[in-house]
Amino acid sequence: QVQLVESGGGLVQAGGSLRLSCAASGSIFSINAMGWYRQAPGKQRELVAAITSGGSTNYADSVKGRFTISRDNANNTVYLQMNSLKPEDTAVYYCHADLGSAWGDYWGKGTLVTVSS
């Protein structure tokens, strides 16, 4: 089993910054990709950013230039630096890890980010 534990969410004013962290633990051989998704009330879960084990990144258009994803492969940890936050960034942010077709993928329980105007 693999566990993903997120931290770093909270309440911030528009224009502020937050840094999310997600640590993976358990029976891990390797992690192909790690990423962050978010789900706002009444909306579908959407990809925010993802990063491969080699460091290639992918961002949603809505966060490009404001959010940065990074990864510590040695510690199976992924980070999301969020700057210039907007009220529309308010959502529950979920960590995701893809361990490959043989091992499956896993989700964290989520951390709430609230951006006040």
Side-chain angles (χ1 to χ4, degrees), residues 10 23 36 43 45 63 76-77:
W36 292 94
K43 294 188 177 181
R45 190 174 298 189
V63 307
N76 293 322
T77 301

Side-chain angles (χ1 to χ4, degrees), residues 10-18 83-87 114-117:
L11 174 64
V12 64
Q13 288 189 333
S17 299
L18 283 174
N83 298 329
S84 302
L85 282 160
K86 304 176 181 179
T114 303
V115 184
S116 63
S117 57

Side-chain angles (χ1 to χ4, degrees), residues 72-95:
D72 179 352
N73 289 331
N75 292 302
N76 293 322
T77 301
V78 64
Y79 305 95
L80 185 68
Q81 178 66 43
M82 305 185 293
N83 298 329
S84 302
L85 282 160
K86 304 176 181 179
E88 50 263 45
D89 294 317
T90 295
V92 178
Y93 284 69
Y94 296 91
C95 179

